[in-house]
């Protein structure tokens, strides 16, 4: 790709700065606002004198400030170069709009952080549409009976022999049972049995979900703890594959009402999927944030990417097996199907982004902070719960 000339870049930035449809905020390395575009004024009605010199957090809602979201947005941009976020922001008159934005870290020629640029737009109309689609998604039912029957049969047939195989492995792992030269082979066998066990459990969960028998047990948890446990469990595999695995999480605890075990299963499947398709030297990030009603967890990688024709069906079981020529590789796609089912049970959504083969992938899930019984979930566009 040819380099962008400096004068072209400055011209584009000047054009964006003057556009009414997008707001641009400049901040220094300490997070204080140094610039405010006419577009930002058009969207928020805040004048430059209202915000310049104030903390970056001053343009966020009180709830997000209490949750440390402004600093987390800057931290994520500092760690990854760019952070993407969608959340409610206040206008001058006290109303709120749904903003979709990007925050970029700025560095000098020697690589030192000199500030940040946040570009955002008013996407309240898109949020309204997304809410409608979420409601439609919740009402969908009726899966293909033939596939459900097949999956249930395969899971049943595989589950039976795995138990005695596991028992034999435990006996062989006892001290003195095997010569030292066989220990490496036993470890390989143990890993493969673990893989088959997880595969079968995913099949069982997928079957239960399709017939409405997969349930969730809600409890209040701190999301950072769940994510950190998943990352710690996956780190040995990442190190063995030569892949950098890191979590970029808010300092303030993000509390949510979820099924802790199921949510770890979701995070674990997404991280395992990212590691599977990221070659040595690549990177995988896990990030989390929240707005007033939902939390968002994203798993992003620099791996093989996903072919555009595969994106619409990536969460369907057997999609990867059908698309053998895709950059994402072969496989049954059961783990991602289970992710979707568990997220649906939590009344959430999960989506994937990829610019194509060789350009990495990003999986994002958005789930309500509560189980729906302790607070109302109704939300009027532009007037969220406060």
């Amino acid at each position: 790709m040819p380099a962008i000339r400096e004068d072209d870049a400055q011209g584009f930035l000047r054009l964006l700065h003057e556009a009414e449809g997008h707001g641009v905020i400049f901040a220094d390395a300490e997070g204080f606002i140094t610039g405010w575009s006419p577009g930002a004024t058009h969207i928020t009605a805040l004048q430059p004198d209202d915000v310049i010199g104030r903390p970056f957090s001053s343009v966020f809602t009180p709830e997000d400030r209490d949750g440390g979201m402004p600093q987390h947005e800057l931290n994520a941009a500092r760690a990854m170069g760019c952070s993407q976020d969608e959340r409610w922001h206040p206008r001058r008159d006290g109303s709120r709009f749904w903003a979709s934005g990007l925050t970029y870290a700025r560095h000098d020629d020697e690589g030192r952080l000199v500030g940040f640029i946040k570009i955002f737009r008013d996407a309240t109309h898109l949020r309204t549409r997304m809410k409608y689609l979420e409601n439609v998604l919740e009402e969908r039912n009726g899966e293909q009976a033939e596939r459900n029957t097949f999956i249930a049969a395969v899971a049943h047939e595989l589950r039976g022999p795995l138990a005695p195989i596991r028992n034999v492995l435990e006996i062989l792992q006892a001290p003195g049972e095997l010569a030292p030269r066989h220990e490496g082979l036993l470890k390989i066998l143990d890993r493969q049995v673990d893989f088959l066990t997880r595969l079968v459990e995913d099949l069982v969960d997928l079957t239960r979900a399709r017939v409405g028998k997969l349930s969730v047990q809600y409890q209040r948890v701190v999301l950072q703890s769940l994510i950190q446990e998943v990352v710690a469990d996956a780190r040995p595999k990442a190190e063995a594959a030569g892949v950098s695995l890191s979590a970029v999480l808010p300092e303030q605890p993000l509390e949510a009402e979820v099924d802790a075990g199921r949510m770890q299963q979701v995070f674990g499947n997404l991280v395992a999927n990212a590691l599977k398709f990221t070659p040595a030297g690549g990177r995988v990030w896990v990030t989390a944030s929240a707005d007033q009603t939902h939390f968002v967890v994203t798993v992003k990688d620099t791996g093989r990417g996903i072919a555009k024709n595969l994106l619409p069906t990536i969460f369907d079981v057997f999609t990867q097996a059908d698309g053998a020529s895709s950059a994402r590789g072969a496989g049954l796609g059961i783990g991602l199907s289970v992710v979707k089912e568990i997220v649906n049970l939590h009344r959430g959504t999960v989506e994937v982004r990829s610019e194509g083969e060789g350009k990495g992938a990003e999986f994002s899930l958005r789930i309500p902070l509560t189980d729906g019984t302790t607070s109302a979930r109704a939300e009027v566009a532009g007037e969220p719960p406060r």
Side-chain angles (χ1 to χ4, degrees), residues 126-363:
L126 297 178
R127 175 68 182 125
T128 303
R129 177 64 177 170
M130 184 173 68
K131 187 65 179 178
Y132 168 76
L133 293 175
E134 287 175 355
N135 292 336
V136 172
L137 185 61
E138 289 180 358
E139 296 171 1
R140 290 184 56 189
N141 52 44
E143 300 294 339
Q144 297 180 2
E146 295 82 3
R147 281 191 172 183
N148 289 345
T149 302
F150 173 74
I151 292 173
V154 171
H156 176 75
E157 292 298 326
L158 289 177
R159 212 174 192 183
L162 275 176
I165 291 175
R166 170 59 65 189
N167 291 337
V168 171
L169 273 175
E170 291 178 355
I171 293 174
L172 292 176
Q173 288 172 334
E177 291 294 330
L178 285 180
R181 67 177 184 276
H182 293 148
E183 291 181 358
L185 298 176
L186 188 62
K187 290 180 180 179
I188 295 174
L189 183 60
D190 188 52
R191 286 196 299 268
Q192 297 306 313
V193 171
D194 281 342
F195 170 78
L196 287 174
T197 301
R198 290 195 300 270
L199 178 62
V200 171
E201 292 307 314
D202 279 346
L203 280 170
V204 171
D205 287 340
L206 187 60
T207 304
R208 289 173 177 169
R210 295 294 174 83
V211 297
K213 293 184 178 180
L214 184 65
S215 61
V216 293
Q217 302 296 323
Y218 285 96
Q219 63 186 100
R220 182 164 289 276
V221 301
V222 176
L223 289 173
Q224 287 97 325
S225 297
L226 298 184
I227 294 172
Q228 287 165 348
E229 289 180 17
V230 168
V231 170
D233 289 342
R235 196 171 300 284
K237 181 177 181 180
E239 292 175 350
V243 176
S244 171
L245 173 62
S246 58
V248 183
L249 306 174
E251 295 180 0
Q252 296 291 332
L254 294 181
E255 294 188 348
E257 294 174 4
V258 296
D259 186 313
R262 294 297 183 192
M263 203 50 54
Q264 283 188 308
Q265 186 178 3
V266 167
F267 299 156
N269 281 358
L270 290 178
V271 169
N273 181 73
L275 292 175
K276 178 180 179 181
F277 297 110
T278 302
R283 302 194 66 181
V284 174
W285 297 276
V286 184
T287 66
S289 65
D291 55 41
Q292 288 75 37
T293 58
H294 294 69
F295 69 85
V296 178
V297 173
T298 300
V299 178
K300 181 178 181 180
D301 65 66
T302 61
R304 301 180 196 170
I306 304 173
K308 291 184 179 180
N309 66 315
L310 190 61
L311 285 172
T313 58
I314 192 67
F315 295 104
D316 296 341
V317 68
F318 305 129
T319 288
Q320 294 180 54
D322 293 338
S325 63
S326 72
R328 209 64 178 174
L332 297 179
I334 294 172
L336 292 182
S337 297
V338 171
V339 165
K340 182 179 179 181
E341 296 294 347
I342 294 176
V343 170
N344 285 345
L345 282 174
H346 283 81
R347 307 182 324 279
T349 59
V350 59
E351 61 182 18
V352 60
R353 300 184 183 92
S354 179
E355 295 300 320
E357 299 183 14
K359 297 183 179 180
E362 178 177 317
F363 288 82

